[in-house]
Amino acid sequence: MVARLADYQSAVEIGIGNRPDVAGALANAGIVVTATDIRPREVPADVQFVLDDVTNPDASVYENCDVLYALNIPPELHRPALAVAKECDSVFVFTTLGGDQPSVPVRRETISGETLFWARE
């Protein structure tokens, strides 16, 4: 995923949880990265963290980002995240858990045994 997002200048990870590796790698590649979650989370020093719920988002968190992405995002958050991407005119790409299917229209891309779902390009 890092290679696919490396051309963007700014990114927001929705629901970082306990997996800061992608956010950290993007920041190391020179991308301005903000990570969000509904609970406080530890993130790499060069990643900004903001408490936010994508179902009731603070628009200022997302307004200047080029791409929103989410890893293992549950289906009930696909539509709210896509709505945020549309509102801030950003790309939205995500992965799902196991056999979860996207609940929004997507273009599928297989990389390294994983499927990226491009909901807004």
Side-chain angles (χ1 to χ4, degrees), residues 5 8 10-13 31 65-69 90-93 118:
L5 301 181
Y8 296 102
S10 60
V12 174
E13 180 169 343
I31 299 167
C65 75
D66 297 322
V67 60
L68 276 70
Y69 71 95
S90 298
V91 170
F92 175 45
V93 61
W118 294 85

Side-chain angles (χ1 to χ4, degrees), residues 4 14-15 18 20-21 37 39 43-44 70 101 105 109 117-118 121:
R4 295 298 290 126
I14 298 169
N18 294 318
D21 297 346
D37 207 297
R39 290 186 260 293
V43 297
Q101 292 300 309
E109 177 183 4
F117 299 100
W118 294 85
E121 298 185 67

